[in-house]
Amino acid sequence: MPLPRPVLVSALALSLLGSSASALIVPMNGWVPVEGNASVWTDTSGACLLREERTGQAFPVLASQTEALAFAVKLRKQLSKSVGAVTIQPVDRAGFWAVLAAYDHKDGGATYKISQLYLNDAGLLRTVTGSSADGEKGACVNAMREFIRYLAN
């Protein structure tokens, strides 16, 4: 069975960070792993996609909001080179900080909304990324964004 268009585009867009060796725990009912991969999840309609990736890329502990803001400025500048409507904010994760990015990704005339959380995982970069088509109104969109914003760590 072919993957829905948002899943295909998101998988391609997210592949820039490398392969995943982890398993994301998705607390939303009805979400299933894509092709058995416990690091990539979709809702039953295929309108939303979540992906967790761990890379070998070093990533500092962001011990304060100031450090997270400094990283956010660099990340915004980098992302703005290739995607549109970039917004960045530091998020508190009970004793450490992460950075949440939201941006638009265009592919083949379609626009996708991406939310991406950047975390330190034992000194390495770990991301949790969600995507859906621009204008998607399904219940999965808010659930996915809330999971990334408040629960993923």
Side-chain angles (χ1 to χ4, degrees):
M1 175 173 113
L3 295 174
R5 184 161 174 76
V7 173
L8 284 173
V9 172
S10 297
L12 292 172
L14 300 175
S15 67
L16 298 174
L17 290 175
S19 64
S20 174
S22 62
L24 182 63
I25 297 172
V26 177
M28 281 105 50
N29 289 332
W31 285 65
V32 295
V34 174
E35 297 181 1
N37 183 345
S39 295
V40 183
W41 291 73
T42 188
D43 70 306
T44 54
S45 72
C48 297
L49 179 88
L50 272 170
R51 180 184 194 114
E52 177 186 44
E53 295 182 295
R54 289 188 169 120
T55 70
Q57 181 179 343
F59 189 76
V61 171
L62 303 173
S64 69
Q65 185 176 22
T66 302
E67 290 177 10
L69 281 169
F71 174 76
V73 168
K74 292 175 188 174
L75 180 61
R76 180 183 173 100
K77 183 182 278 188
Q78 188 65 30
L79 285 174
S80 294
K81 293 176 184 178
S82 59
V83 297
V86 178
T87 59
I88 307 280
Q89 69 182 63
V91 290
D92 186 2
R93 286 294 190 259
F96 68 96
W97 288 83
V99 173
L100 179 63
Y103 54 88
D104 294 344
H105 171 74
K106 294 186 181 204
D107 184 61
T111 301
Y112 300 89
K113 297 289 187 183
I114 310 294
S115 296
Q116 190 167 43
L117 185 66
Y118 292 75
L119 301 153
N120 174 294
D121 185 13
L124 300 175
L125 175 63
R126 183 168 65 94
T127 59
V128 178
T129 307
S131 65
S132 60
D134 187 22
E136 175 62 48
K137 303 291 186 210
C140 67
V141 175
N142 285 337
M144 175 183 66
R145 290 180 184 158
E146 287 178 10
F147 170 74
I148 294 170
R149 170 64 177 97
Y150 297 107
L151 299 175
N153 62 25

